[in-house]
Amino acid sequence: MAASSVLSLSGLCHWAAWLFLLYLLYKASTLYLRWQQLRRVFSAFPGPERHWLYGNAHELKEDGTDLDVMDGFAKQYEYGYPLWIGSFYASLMVGHPEYAKAILTRQVLEILDIIVGSLTIRGGDRTGGYIIVHQGLINAFGDPKDNVVYRFLVPWIGKGLLVLSGPKWFQHRKLLTPAFHYDVLKPYIKLMSDCTNTMLDTWEKLVPDQKPLELFHYVSLMTLDSIMKCAFSYESNCQNDSENEYIKAVYELSHLVEYRSRCYPYHNSLIFYLSPHGARFRRALKIVHEHTSNVIKQRKEALKQVTELEKVKQRRHLDFLDILLYAKDENGQGLSDEDLQAEVDTFMFEGHDTTASGVSWTLYCLAKHPEHQEKCREEIREVLGERNTVEWEDLGKMPYTTMCVKESMRLYPPVPVVARELSQPITFCDGRSLPKGTNVFLNIFSINRNPDMWEEPEVFDPLRFSPDNPIKKHAYSFIPFSAGSRNCIGQNFAMHEMKVAVALTLQRFELTPDLDKDKEPLKAILVVLRSLNGIHVNLRKLQRKS
C-alpha cells in the first residue's frame, strides 16, 4: 500500500514536471513570437542600439538625465524611434509635431470617412446611417491610453477620465465638461489667491534664514489646498501640516508607477504584488484612497437633504464634486460609486500635482532670467496695485506673465510623456506605417523643443508666444496639455492657478537661482515632471511701493 502511494506520488511529480516544462516552452515560444512581431512592426524605424536583454532600459538611469537622453535620440531620429524596455516590450517614441498631429487628429478624418461611408452604404436609410455615424463617433474619440503604462495607474486613480476609452470615456467627458465652465471657474480665483497667500506667508517666515527654498514641497501643499477648496469645498489645513501624509503618498505612488514601468519583471502583477515595492505601493494607496473617500463621504452627508443643484448654488459656489454627484446622462443615469471614486481620485491627483509642477518650474525659470521676472512684476503691479488677491477680470490683463508661463511649460511640460495604443493602423506623413495595437509615446518634452520648429529651442524666450511674433508655430509644436479630443479637460483651471500663483509670488518676492551646482534640478518623469533633488531658489522680500 505504501509502495503504491509512493509510485502514485512519483507519477504525479513526473506529470507535473512535464506540464511545467511544456508551460515554459509555451511561454518561451510566445515571447519569441512577440519579439519577432515587434521587430517587424518597427523595422522601418531606425533607433538607438539596444541590449539583447535590457533593450534601451539600461540607458535610462533615473539620475536626472533620462529626458535629455531621449531628447538626444529624438534629434538623431527625426520623427520617432523605437524604445525597448527589455526584449519584449517596445513603443514608438514620437518627437516631431507632424507625427503627433497624425496621432492626435486622425479621429476627425475617421469621423468624415464614417459619415461619407454611411450615406453611401445606406442610400436613403437615414436611421441606419445615423447608427453607423454615432458608433463611429464613439469609436473615434481617441486611441485608448497605452494599456501597459496606464494600467499601472489604475489601482491608484481607478478607471476615470485619464485612462478610459470608447463609449464610457465619451460619457464621462460629457458629464464632466460642465464642471469646467467659466461660471464654475470664476469663484475659484479668490480661493486660489487665498491659498497662494497662505504659502507666501509661510515663505516670509523662512526668508530671514537666508537659506535657499525648495519650491516643489510648498507649492504641492498649496495646490492641494487649492484643489480641495475649489473643487471639493473642503478645508484640509494641509499647508499647516508640513508632513502631510497625502502629499507623501502621492510622491511615493508617482515614483513606484514610474519605476514599475521601467522594470520589465514588475509588468507582471503577481511579481510586483509580492515584491517590497508592491508592499510600499499598497501602503501609499491606502492613505490616498482613505483621503478621497473621506471627502466624498462628508459631501454626501452634507447633501442628504438637498435634491437639486440649484439649491446648492444658493448656499455657496458650485464645485467639481457637486457636478459629479448630480450629473445624469440622457437616460437619467449618474455615475456609479466606483466611477465617482475614480474621477475624484483622478482630479485630486491631476488637479494638484501637475499644476504644482507647472508653477514650480515657472518660478525656477523666472529666477534664472531676472529680466523677464522684472517685466512680469511691472505688469502685475500695474494690474493688481496694492491688492493681494487676483480677480477673474485680471487674468486677461497679464499677457507677458502668460507668455512666461507658456514658455516655461514649453521647456518643462508638467506631463512630459503621454502614451497611446493605436486603435487602428496609421500611415504617417513620410509614408511609414504602424499596425493596430502598437504602443506609441508622445514625448511632449522633445516635441516642445524640436529644433525644426523652434529657433534656439533650449533658450528661454517668452516672446515666442507674443501675438506680434511673425513666426507662425506648427499647431502641434507646443502641446503641454496634449491636443485633440483627449486634451486635458482641466487646462483652463491649471492655467488660471499658475497665473494666480506666479503673479502673487512676484508681487511679494524677488527670486534668484541657487548657485550651488549640486542643487541644479535633476529632471525626472515621476508621472509628472519633478526634480530628483528639488527645485531651489533664493527669496528676497520686496517692499510695497507707496
Side-chain angles (χ1 to χ4, degrees):
M1 188 73 174
S4 175
S5 298
V6 169
L7 286 172
S8 176
L9 182 61
S10 174
L12 283 173
C13 290
H14 179 75
W15 278 107
W18 272 107
L19 288 172
F20 182 67
L21 180 61
L22 287 172
Y23 173 76
L24 289 179
L25 287 172
Y26 166 75
K27 290 298 291 184
S29 61
T30 301
L31 289 173
Y32 176 76
L33 291 172
R34 172 70 175 160
W35 175 67
Q36 289 281 40
Q37 179 194 22
L38 289 171
R39 285 186 63 195
R40 286 195 300 272
V41 165
F42 295 116
S43 59
F45 296 88
E49 187 176 347
R50 66 182 187 271
H51 187 274
W52 70 272
L53 178 62
Y54 305 121
N56 304 115
H58 66 295
E59 299 189 61
L60 307 177
K61 300 175 181 177
E62 290 190 274
D63 60 356
T65 62
D66 291 3
L67 280 167
D68 295 324
V69 168
M70 290 191 289
D71 194 40
F73 292 153
K75 289 178 172 61
Q76 187 177 352
Y77 306 100
E78 184 180 11
Y79 288 104
Y81 59 90
L83 188 75
W84 291 74
I85 304 299
S87 297
F88 310 109
Y89 178 78
S91 297
L92 187 74
M93 185 66 73
V94 171
H96 196 282
E98 277 297 326
Y99 267 37
K101 178 183 176 182
I103 293 163
L104 295 172
T105 64
R106 69 196 178 96
Q107 294 93 335
V108 176
L109 299 177
E110 288 172 1
I111 291 169
L112 291 175
D113 287 343
I114 291 160
I115 292 172
V116 172
S118 69
L119 293 177
T120 304
I121 292 167
R122 297 290 177 176
D125 183 1
R126 298 178 65 183
T127 305
Y130 287 148
I131 291 171
I132 293 178
V133 171
H134 177 67
Q135 187 60 46
L137 286 168
I138 290 175
N139 292 335
F141 277 113
D143 294 311
K145 298 296 184 75
D146 171 66
N147 63 346
V148 172
V149 175
Y150 283 94
R151 71 179 168 88
F152 300 154
L153 282 169
V154 170
W156 174 7
I157 61 174
K159 293 184 178 180
L161 202 61
L162 181 65
V163 298
L164 284 173
S165 59
K168 194 167 183 180
W169 173 85
F170 178 58
Q171 179 208 27
H172 280 223
R173 180 86 180 202
K174 189 176 179 182
L175 291 177
L176 267 61
T177 296
F180 298 94
H181 190 275
Y182 71 90
D183 281 340
V184 177
L185 296 178
K186 271 184 181 180
Y188 292 174
I189 306 305
K190 168 70 166 58
L191 297 171
M192 291 172 181
S193 296
D194 292 343
C195 294
T196 302
N197 281 321
T198 299
M199 177 184 73
L200 299 179
D201 290 342
T202 301
W203 289 3
E204 280 201 21
K205 297 171 187 174
L206 300 173
V207 166
D209 292 344
Q210 301 286 314
K211 292 179 181 177
L213 180 83
E214 198 289 301
L215 290 173
F216 207 102
H217 170 71
Y218 294 99
V219 176
S220 289
L221 289 171
M222 181 274 289
T223 55
L224 177 61
D225 192 18
S226 180
I227 198 74
M228 297 293 283
K229 287 179 179 173
C230 293
F232 304 105
S233 301
Y234 186 92
E235 291 289 340
S236 66
N237 199 36
C238 62
Q239 293 203 67
N240 296 319
D241 178 10
S242 60
E243 298 298 315
N244 185 273
E245 279 195 328
Y246 180 82
I247 291 287
K248 285 184 173 181
V250 165
Y251 188 86
E252 176 83 324
L253 291 171
S254 299
H255 171 75
L256 291 170
V257 165
E258 180 62 21
Y259 184 77
R260 187 182 179 189
S261 71
R262 295 166 184 267
C263 181
Y264 187 72
Y266 278 177
H267 287 200
N268 181 283
S269 295
L270 180 61
I271 292 174
F272 181 70
Y273 183 87
L274 295 174
S275 72
H277 292 96
R280 284 168 51 190
F281 189 80
R282 291 192 297 277
R283 284 195 297 270
L285 271 185
K286 185 172 184 291
I287 293 169
V288 166
H289 288 163
E290 283 180 353
H291 178 80
T292 50
S293 295
N294 189 44
V295 171
I296 295 170
K297 182 180 176 182
Q298 285 194 24
R299 177 59 58 83
K300 283 185 171 180
E301 287 293 325
L303 294 180
K304 273 186 175 178
Q305 306 303 320
V306 184
T307 57
E308 296 177 11
L309 204 56
E310 281 301 313
K311 291 181 180 178
V312 177
K313 197 172 180 179
Q314 292 169 13
R315 298 183 180 185
R316 54 169 171 77
H317 73 271
L318 287 181
D319 63 26
F320 176 78
L321 188 51
D322 290 324
I323 292 168
L324 278 186
L325 288 167
Y326 284 95
K328 297 284 189 295
D329 63 18
E330 58 272 14
N331 298 318
Q333 292 294 313
L335 294 172
S336 67
D337 288 344
E338 182 182 357
D339 289 340
L340 178 65
Q341 177 80 36
E343 295 301 353
V344 170
D345 276 317
T346 297
F347 195 61
M348 191 86 74
F349 161 66
E350 283 203 286
H352 100 268
D353 217 35
T354 54
T355 311
S357 176
V359 171
S360 299
W361 288 106
T362 299
L363 294 177
Y364 168 75
C365 288
L366 292 174
K368 289 188 69 176
H369 299 90
E371 68 281 13
H372 298 299
Q373 181 183 157
E374 189 53 39
K375 285 185 180 179
C376 288
R377 186 174 290 111
E378 289 172 5
E379 176 181 79
I380 291 158
R381 282 175 168 166
E382 186 175 332
V383 172
L384 298 184
E386 291 301 304
R387 285 187 286 121
N388 66 349
T389 298
V390 179
E391 296 174 359
W392 176 262
E393 292 74 18
D394 298 329
L395 296 173
K397 299 174 184 177
M398 299 187 286
Y400 200 85
T401 304
T402 303
M403 289 191 293
C404 286
V405 171
K406 287 182 176 181
E407 178 66 349
S408 299
M409 287 197 294
R410 184 186 71 82
L411 289 170
Y412 302 100
V415 181
V417 179
V418 297
R420 294 287 187 272
E421 181 183 288
L422 298 180
S423 59
Q424 297 295 331
I426 188 170
T427 299
F428 295 107
C429 56
D430 57 359
R432 292 185 290 184
S433 300
L434 289 174
K436 175 183 177 180
T438 305
N439 292 321
V440 177
F441 282 97
L442 299 175
N443 188 337
I444 294 173
F445 182 87
S446 292
I447 292 169
N448 287 358
R449 294 173 179 238
N450 189 288
D452 293 342
M453 303 293 133
W454 303 98
E455 187 177 344
E456 297 183 289
E458 307 299 324
V459 174
F460 183 82
D461 180 13
L463 293 177
R464 300 178 199 273
F465 293 95
S466 170
D468 301 325
N469 190 334
I471 300 173
K472 297 295 182 184
K473 302 189 301 295
H474 188 291
Y476 290 81
S477 62
F478 175 67
I479 50 172
F481 297 107
S482 189
S485 61
R486 297 205 64 146
N487 67 348
C488 174
I489 194 172
Q491 61 183 284
N492 287 332
F493 178 96
M495 278 299 295
H496 295 340
E497 184 163 18
M498 283 189 277
K499 288 199 275 187
V500 168
V502 170
L504 294 178
T505 299
L506 296 187
Q507 184 189 50
R508 240 203 262 196
F509 294 101
E510 178 185 62
L511 284 68
T512 55
D514 186 348
L515 299 179
D516 184 347
K517 289 188 177 180
D518 291 336
K519 297 287 182 65
E520 186 68 22
L522 300 174
K523 301 182 294 292
I525 312 171
L526 297 176
V527 183
V528 302
L529 183 61
R530 297 175 180 268
S531 168
L532 292 175
N533 57 341
I535 302 175
H536 296 83
V537 299
N538 295 300
L539 297 176
R540 184 175 72 85
K541 178 76 168 67
L542 297 172
Q543 299 300 316
R544 290 268 185 174
K545 289 189 176 181
S546 56

